[in-house]
Amino acid sequence: MAQTAEKFLLSRLSRAGFAGLIIIAIASALLGDPLMSAVAAAAAGVVISGRNFHPARKKQPWPAIQRLFFVVATGLTLSAFLLGPWSMTYWLYAVPLIAFALFQPVIAASLSLAVCVLVMAGTQWMTGLPDRHQLVSAFLLTLMLSGLLVFLREYKNRQLAPLRRTDELTQAASREYLSADLHKEIQRSEREGTDLSVIMVGLDTHVSDHEPAEDIRSILPRIGRFLHSQIRDFDTYYRVADLQFLIILPGISTGDAGNRADIIRSGLRTLLESHGLNLTVSTGIAGLNIGDDADSLQQSAAHALRRAQQQGGNRTQTYSAWSHTARSTTEHGGPAS
């Protein structure tokens, strides 16, 4: 709920900021200030091409377009040292904050330092401005505050990373908790004498290598929501790799897990086709056997999935603990021959 409220607030602020910058751009053009109008228009481009303005903006080429708008806006603002008005140079205070928001810290720091050098050089042209030296000190202070905010952001992310239970992209449980959660389920199954199965779900990307990686990644949130809709309240699913998920099914035998896996494969295939992706899905199933622990059960499911994909994909494989091989249960939605 907190993440939803944050995204809603940022979206509203982005739209309000975009509208304000457009108004400034139009008003400046009407008042005969083309440089101010151009800078405001470029800043509006930074806002509208950001993912806070629209979720689809996080995909390429929007991030590159947003950075290009930022570079143009910064260059135009720096030109105020030569062309005037000098009051526009105060817009440079926002450059470090925006740079650290758009670029990696190393790149952002390099850009900020480069702008700082240009600001110090540009003040030599502002002989008619008494407080020109204050501009340099204020910019350096802004740069230091930006660095402090970035440090606090990275420190917070590192501190909170172990506490995150879900993957932000797919809302699947975090992989860091998989072994511990699976160990608890194994103990409960052995104590109560009930079945326990796991399903490893993977997209067969090797079948359709022509699909762009960005298009595949963009569908992951919908895949996560679909998997969530297919499990019971006490089942859990985890994102174990970029395009792989593991589902823990307490009280489910391998045969019933195979039926569930086929339903999941069919539903995911329909979902992928509805978004224009010619991809298939394979699943690997492993049931709890004597002597299994969390690691061995995961490895069995992963081995079954790998075997399914090696045989062409679009099928479900069940791992046989006795023969140490993966036994095919279904292929292309039907019984294996």
Side-chain angles (χ1 to χ4, degrees), residues 8-337:
F8 176 79
L9 179 60
L10 291 176
S11 177
R12 286 297 182 92
L13 290 174
S14 296
R15 295 177 188 279
F18 173 75
L21 290 169
I22 289 298
I23 292 174
I24 294 175
I26 295 175
S28 299
L30 294 177
L31 294 174
D33 191 349
L35 184 59
M36 176 70 78
S37 178
V39 171
V46 173
V47 175
I48 196 174
S49 57
R51 62 180 179 181
N52 289 326
F53 193 89
H54 192 282
R57 300 294 193 269
K58 65 183 179 182
K59 298 191 299 181
Q60 292 293 349
W62 289 106
I65 294 175
Q66 186 180 35
R67 297 186 185 103
L68 178 60
F69 274 124
F70 168 74
V71 172
V72 171
T74 302
L76 291 173
T77 307
L78 285 170
S79 67
F81 285 109
L82 297 174
L83 305 176
W86 289 339
S87 60
M88 276 197 58
T89 57
Y90 295 106
W91 285 49
L92 292 170
Y93 293 158
V95 168
L97 287 173
I98 300 176
F100 280 107
L102 299 182
F103 297 92
Q104 295 295 328
V106 175
I107 299 177
S110 301
L111 288 174
S112 299
L113 289 175
V115 172
C116 183
V117 171
L118 293 174
V119 167
M120 288 188 289
T123 53
Q124 304 304 316
W125 296 88
M126 301 168 62
T127 55
L129 187 65
D131 58 346
R132 64 183 186 277
H133 298 298
Q134 296 180 6
L135 175 65
V136 177
S137 59
F139 185 83
L140 289 174
L141 179 60
T142 303
L143 183 60
M144 293 173 59
L145 290 175
S146 300
L148 178 61
L149 290 175
V150 171
F151 171 78
L152 292 176
R153 181 190 65 185
E154 296 299 323
Y155 180 77
K156 183 198 72 171
N157 290 337
R158 291 186 180 183
Q159 292 295 314
L160 294 180
L163 302 178
R164 294 194 179 102
R165 289 286 308 186
T166 58
D167 173 63
E168 293 183 358
L169 184 62
T170 63
Q171 299 305 308
S174 176
R175 182 179 182 179
E176 286 74 14
Y177 293 90
L178 172 57
S179 294
D181 293 347
L182 186 54
H183 178 69
K184 293 178 182 178
E185 292 298 338
I186 291 174
Q187 288 184 321
R188 180 182 293 111
S189 177
E190 292 176 342
R191 182 173 62 251
E192 299 176 359
T194 57
D195 292 321
L196 175 65
S197 298
V198 296
I199 301 176
M200 186 82 78
V201 182
L203 273 62
D204 299 325
T205 53
H206 65 282
V207 177
S208 300
D209 292 332
H210 64 279
E211 297 291 353
E214 287 295 330
D215 291 345
I216 297 175
R217 288 184 60 83
S218 66
I219 198 66
L220 286 177
R222 294 184 180 274
I223 292 177
R225 289 196 292 269
F226 174 80
L227 292 176
H228 182 77
S229 69
Q230 297 298 311
I231 63 175
R232 301 166 297 178
D233 292 339
F234 48 87
D235 296 336
T236 50
Y237 70 105
Y238 304 79
R239 187 182 179 192
V240 295
D242 194 29
L243 301 176
Q244 292 182 358
F245 299 83
L246 186 138
I247 306 172
I248 301 178
L249 301 173
I252 296 294
S253 64
T254 54
D256 292 335
N259 295 331
R260 288 174 176 263
D262 287 333
I263 294 174
I264 290 173
R265 285 197 310 106
S266 177
L268 287 178
R269 180 67 186 276
T270 302
L271 174 65
L272 294 169
E273 289 179 347
S274 67
H275 287 77
L277 296 176
N278 185 27
L279 290 172
T280 57
V281 180
S282 292
T283 54
I285 301 171
L288 180 63
N289 289 284
I290 298 175
D292 273 335
D293 58 16
D295 291 335
S296 64
L297 196 54
Q298 294 178 58
Q299 292 173 3
S300 297
H303 183 86
L305 174 62
R306 184 165 58 251
R307 180 62 174 169
Q309 293 178 331
Q310 288 174 349
Q311 293 182 352
N314 195 27
R315 67 185 66 208
T316 295
Q317 297 282 107
T318 300
Y319 185 81
S320 173
W322 305 111
S323 61
H324 299 283
T325 60
R327 182 176 65 254
S328 177
T329 58
T330 57
E331 178 180 356
H332 307 294
S337 57

